[in-house]
Amino acid sequence: MLATEEFTRFPLLMWEKVLSKVKKSVVFMDDKCAEALHWSGGAATLLEAGARNLKQFSSFEACGVNEPKAVFVVSTLLKGRTVDIIKDIISLSHFQYCVVFTTVAHSVHLLVNKVTTEMEGSPVFEQFEEKLCEWMGNMNYTAEVMHVPVVFAPVSQQLIVAPPFAHLFPLLSPDLEAINEKRPEKRRFASLNDIDMHCLPAELQIEVKSLASALNSMFEATGTREESFALGPMSRIIAGELANLPQAKNRRKTAPNKASIIFVDRTMDLTGAVGHHGDNLVEKVLTMLKLLPGHVTDVQVDMLELTSLHKTPHSKNILAPGCLAQIQSSARSLWDAMLTSKHKEGVIEVRRQLVEAASKENLPIKMSMGRVTPEQLCSYIQLFRSSRGALESHCGVLQLGLATAQTLRHPSLPRWDSCLAFERLLLQALGDADFPAVLRQLLPLMKPRGVEDTSASGSRLREDELGPDELILLLVYLYSLADETQPADHDTEEEEELEKLERDLIGALTLVISRETELSPLLQKLTGCTNPEELTAERVHSAVEKMFKTLRGLSSTRNHLKQLRSIYTASDGVHQATYRPFLRQILEEVFHPDRCECPDIEHMSGGLTDLLKTGFSMFMKVSRPHPGDNPLLLLFMVGGVTPSELRLIKETVATHRPGTQVLVLSTRLLRLTDIPELLFGTQRLVPDIGV
């Protein structure tokens, strides 16, 4: 029987192909591939395989006379900017042997070059090999170009992410407008659900085809014959592309192992991705700590506690940061526990493993029960700095312990509880009042940071004061539930009231952002500015107006669904209003003992057989494929999954069908602020594919 371990091993198998070529070479790698490698053993695996050095894929890098071999690993097409960078590096170096690995399949390169017929060999790669020899200055030198799908990263036993597709996000209402603008009036689409692959911008088509090709490679390596299902417009396009891929059709004829894969658009449930209700330690760690440079998942862990250095403004520049991705088995088990357990359970497990590690090394640990504090964790961690051997043996657990301690004492953590309390109030209010009245409750919160809190003594600022990031999260939370909690027939007066209120909110939020002395990554994405000096009132106002235009379309993302339209249960006087996670509803349908057919979970692995079944079903009972039929279920979240959703999936499976193997694949592991960045980013329909 097919096991999830075969899928989590797949990324490591693909990296083996790269490792086989790196001996005595200098490796140049782009950020997306570097992040995938980071979760598959890191740079150490390259050095252990014989690589001399690892450098950034940049025109400003080069090698000396005594470094004749280079290996390039890129996540992009071998066109445009990517080709320019490779040429620049080779021109400044003295290579005699170049190997280029691209994660984009040769079939996609052919399509980009407008070749639609099947061709023998790899002519695009062969032509590029000739160019490499030309740039090296001798046609007798050696050049190799090949496709290796090193796009997946095994974050845990339950989760695989795809860093090169981290910015792939489901279509939104402004995207529909952008697509319709380029079409004749009579051929414009009425909804996002009508859009097909050929209507997408060329860059986005290439990204979808590359993802489908990478998934096919994974299924090929694991001998999988998949049944694909989809929920949401973008998921339907990706699943359809995978179903119609010629290589996939051939594979499915002979593959011995069966599995179901359900593609789900993140926009089907944005409430769960921006809410603070997850009660998960890793969710807080990812949100509080700064990202590693060039990464979208892992964070920087300050290692100062493990040294005798004093904390100064410059101490962070002396020490390389730690991270969450670890290779030691004890650290991996701790990471899995943190990822899929409740906050309190995760913190207790961190303390338990630190105590266990200290006991193994006979360190003088002082046991203490009760509440776990960051000071307590740091006191345990500091014991290890006196022993280099102990430090090396347990460095993975120590880094996860430091990440936990730094999160628990982070100055922004009190705002987490403030947001959670406010979300609960808003959830109840949505069922009791009209949407403008609920939205109006945000206005008093929209004041520039630094305003004195008159309720506190002196001029001390409140720690739980909400900043622009938290306010934007609350807006996404509210708008994602707006239509569902309100009557369908809005009168003109209510519409006018909402428009006026939105103008007030836009003005207030513009002022809040304009007064910021430091721009968060979210505000940088929203405004297109990297520092406050670049901000102007007009620029911020324009960005916030555009943001509200996107917000208005968020509540209608489930309108095309028949059964799974609601993620909100109103108060009945006895029970409070509640949020009903979309993923839980999907799994409950999949694992229903009566094997009910859900009309919203669309089967995509069609072909002639499925068309015949559809025709016959008009006048006779026909058994269609069901996602719960197969021993392995894959959930592919297009747009990201949160740590708390991983816990929810684990608990739901254990409740409804214990023993079933479920693996989550996702474009990324989400921090809370990721969703607004993806929703309101400036380059939504034009992904960076290196062209």
Side-chain angles (χ1 to χ4, degrees), residues 581-617:
F582 192 72
L583 279 177
R584 180 184 289 155
Q585 294 184 57
I586 292 172
L587 291 172
E588 286 171 352
E589 286 298 321
V590 170
F591 298 139
H592 198 285
D594 296 337
R595 196 182 174 276
C596 301
E597 186 175 317
C598 178
D600 299 326
I601 304 175
E602 187 178 353
H603 179 239
M604 300 300 297
S605 301
L608 181 60
T609 306
D610 199 55
L611 287 171
L612 288 171
K613 282 184 178 181
T614 304
F616 283 125
S617 67

Side-chain angles (χ1 to χ4, degrees), residues 176-360:
L176 177 64
E177 291 178 22
I179 290 169
N180 276 338
E181 275 178 10
K182 298 175 182 177
R183 297 175 66 83
E185 194 169 339
K186 291 183 179 179
R187 296 185 60 201
R188 290 182 177 175
F189 298 110
S191 73
L192 288 170
N193 224 39
D194 300 327
I195 294 174
D196 59 24
M197 179 72 162
H198 304 293
C199 306
L200 300 177
E203 294 89 346
L204 191 51
Q205 286 189 43
I206 292 165
E207 194 167 23
V208 170
K209 287 179 183 293
S210 298
L211 176 56
S213 172
L215 286 168
N216 179 63
S217 297
M218 179 184 275
F219 292 143
E220 185 87 48
T222 53
T224 304
R225 182 167 80 252
E226 83 284 1
E227 292 288 351
S228 293
F229 301 85
L231 276 147
M234 182 60 87
S235 287
R236 186 169 47 79
I237 290 170
I238 296 169
E241 185 62 28
L242 176 62
N244 294 316
L245 204 64
Q247 302 94 316
K249 288 180 180 178
N250 295 332
R251 168 181 49 78
R252 283 193 290 268
K253 291 174 185 175
T254 56
N257 303 311
K258 291 183 178 181
S260 299
I261 179 167
I262 305 176
F263 293 86
V264 183
D265 277 11
R266 177 73 265 177
T267 46
M268 294 295 100
D269 181 3
L270 291 172
T271 312
V274 298
H276 294 71
H277 49 253
D279 191 23
N280 180 272
L281 174 59
V282 172
E283 208 153 82
K284 293 174 183 175
V285 171
L286 294 177
T287 302
M288 297 297 151
L289 304 187
K290 287 183 178 179
L291 288 172
L292 281 172
H295 288 238
V296 295
T297 299
D298 210 345
V299 296
Q300 301 179 51
V301 179
D302 189 347
M303 304 291 281
L304 195 68
E305 301 279 358
L306 291 173
T307 72
S308 300
L309 291 171
H310 295 291
K311 192 165 187 176
T312 67
H314 306 291
S315 57
K316 282 189 179 179
N317 299 325
I318 298 171
L319 284 172
C323 61
L324 304 175
Q326 302 297 331
I327 55 173
Q328 295 172 328
S329 58
S330 57
R332 293 287 293 183
S333 65
L334 174 56
W335 168 246
D336 284 341
M338 291 167 64
L339 197 56
T340 56
S341 57
K342 291 185 177 181
H343 172 88
K344 186 178 178 182
E345 294 166 359
V347 172
I348 290 172
E349 182 61 18
V350 170
R351 178 174 67 178
R352 189 191 71 77
Q353 291 227 23
L354 285 172
V355 170
E356 192 175 290
S359 301
K360 278 182 184 176

Side-chain angles (χ1 to χ4, degrees), residues 301 303 321-324 326 394-404:
V301 179
M303 304 291 281
C323 61
L324 304 175
Q326 302 297 331
H394 305 284
C395 63
V397 170
L398 293 174
Q399 287 175 70
L400 294 174
L402 282 170
T404 302

Side-chain angles (χ1 to χ4, degrees), residues 616-636:
F616 283 125
S617 67
M618 296 174 70
F619 51 86
M620 63 184 288
K621 190 174 181 180
V622 174
S623 177
R624 291 191 186 183
H626 188 275
D629 289 344
N630 296 315
L632 174 64
L633 174 65
L634 306 173
L635 281 173
F636 194 108

